[in-house]
Amino acid sequence: MPFPTRTIALWAALIAASALLGFGLKLAQFPAALLLGPMVAAIVFGVRGAPLRMPKPAFQAAQAMIGCMVAHAITAEITKTLIADGPLILLVVGVTVLAGALVGLILTRLRVLPGTTAAWGSSPGGAAAMVAMAEEYGSDPRLVAFMQYVRVAAVVLSASLVARLLTDSATAGPPPAAAEAATFLPVLVTLAVAAVGAGVALWLRLAAGALIGPMLLGAALHATGVASISLPLPILELAYATIGWYVGLRFTRETLRATLHALPGILVATLAVILLCAGWALGLTHLLAIDFLTAFLATSPGGLDSVAIIAVGSKVDVSFVLAVQTLRLFVVLITGPLLAKWIARAVPQEPA
């Protein structure tokens, strides 16, 4: 069934606006400009009621590409980082997860959001997985998505701004998967890794499987030298834009209207988590030989895919950032249901 003419026109307008914003941010030397531009444009279109949705298979394909990009950066150095600084990294991850749980508990006790919605919505990372699991456990997925993607948008904006202010753009390199000449065979192998990794992970019903599957499979093959991970820059840029559109178009007028009374609390909670993580990042610079931007990106409570895009476009210790973010994603996926149940039990239920 062909797209209606209006839908085609809206997509063309969104693509044009995204290109304009992305190009402008790139000229301003913002990291992840081609993620940030499409996301901002999509938020505007979504809130204004444009009947556009990014198909989930397209979003999963984009996640698979980002998984391969992350896999290219995951080397033996990440293992060394986890071994050398494991206890401290676990502490950082634990503090971030507990901060999200505390915010969820406070919002739930204050009845800013109904039931355990705040518990799922405040989990730091794994936005798509938290939305899916929240629906299975009876929470309102729209409100959870709203909280999660407000935080993702805030983290992307703040992390991009901090990276722009602290990064010497003249020394920031291209994404590692695009740094090599993208020859035909490595690209074909990479696309096969993306398809197989995502397919198996989704078949196993792993949370965030489209991202985690290619990342784990690609990292194992790349780090051991069995295969070379390589992606042309246009494919990566399309993946960036797709993720930006998927996130941005979730901000609809209806969702905003339904959660308007909760917006101040959500924004305060989001800012509080970001500032808390920034404080921990500052503390890490005194405990480890890392710069503030590396620590800030490592502790940022955003999605792994979004933070990875920003990290590889900035002058940071990508191995450390990805080690912390990857570990936290797994911790969040494991502890999310447990924390939500704990918050539900800790908050007195309203009488029927």
Side-chain angles (χ1 to χ4, degrees):
M1 181 178 175
F3 282 151
T5 303
R6 181 170 179 266
T7 301
I8 295 175
L10 285 172
W11 271 112
L14 176 59
I15 292 171
S18 301
L20 184 63
L21 279 172
F23 183 68
L25 291 171
K26 198 170 184 179
L27 285 180
Q29 299 170 340
F30 269 85
L34 296 178
L35 166 74
L36 192 58
M39 185 183 72
V40 172
I43 288 174
V44 174
F45 274 67
V47 171
R48 290 182 64 86
L52 301 177
R53 291 293 178 271
M54 177 55 59
K56 193 167 185 179
F59 174 63
Q60 291 174 331
Q63 283 189 310
M65 295 300 102
I66 301 304
C68 289
M69 181 195 74
V70 172
H72 187 282
I74 294 178
T75 63
E77 292 300 316
I78 284 187
T79 304
K80 293 178 182 177
T81 298
L82 286 172
I83 293 175
D85 304 313
L88 190 56
I89 290 176
L90 279 174
L91 178 62
V92 172
V93 170
V95 167
T96 307
V97 172
L98 289 176
L102 178 61
V103 168
L105 178 62
I106 292 172
L107 290 178
T108 304
R109 279 189 173 276
L110 294 177
R111 305 294 183 187
V112 174
L113 290 170
T116 58
T117 298
W120 294 104
S122 58
S123 295
M130 289 299 104
V131 172
M133 287 194 287
E135 189 166 11
E136 292 177 7
Y137 281 85
S139 294
D140 188 337
R142 294 185 314 155
L143 300 181
V144 173
F146 179 74
M147 275 195 74
Q148 286 284 345
Y149 287 105
V150 162
R151 195 194 66 247
V152 170
V155 168
V156 171
L157 289 168
S158 62
S160 297
L161 180 60
V162 170
R164 171 65 185 89
L165 295 174
L166 299 182
T167 299
D168 181 1
S169 59
T171 60
E180 302 170 0
T183 55
F184 178 74
L185 185 58
V187 171
L188 194 61
V189 169
T190 301
L191 294 177
V193 167
V196 172
V200 171
L202 292 173
W203 180 70
L204 293 174
R205 298 183 180 276
L206 295 180
L211 174 70
I212 296 297
M215 185 180 74
L216 294 179
L217 178 60
L221 296 177
H222 183 74
T224 57
V226 174
S228 176
I229 301 296
S230 179
L231 284 171
L233 193 57
I235 291 181
L236 280 175
E237 291 176 342
L238 179 60
Y240 295 174
T242 299
I243 291 175
W245 289 328
Y246 182 84
V247 172
L249 290 173
R250 299 295 289 266
F251 288 83
T252 64
R253 185 179 301 170
E254 289 74 17
T255 306
L256 286 177
R257 186 182 298 118
T259 58
L260 187 60
H261 72 283
L263 184 59
I266 290 173
L267 291 177
V268 170
T270 299
L271 181 61
V273 173
I274 292 175
L275 290 177
L276 178 62
C277 292
W280 270 100
L282 185 61
L284 279 180
T285 61
H286 297 289
L287 298 174
L288 297 173
I290 57 175
D291 60 278
F292 177 71
L293 181 55
T294 295
F296 183 82
L297 292 177
T299 58
S300 290
L304 173 61
D305 44 12
S306 303
V307 174
I309 292 170
I310 297 170
V312 297
S314 309
K315 189 182 179 183
V316 300
D317 185 345
V318 177
S319 295
F320 184 83
V321 172
L322 296 182
V324 176
Q325 288 283 342
T326 302
L327 181 60
R328 194 190 68 216
L329 175 61
F330 283 111
V331 170
V332 166
L333 295 179
I334 293 170
T335 61
L338 300 176
L339 289 174
K341 290 179 180 178
W342 171 73
I343 291 174
R345 288 195 299 265
V347 176
Q349 300 298 309
E350 294 180 351

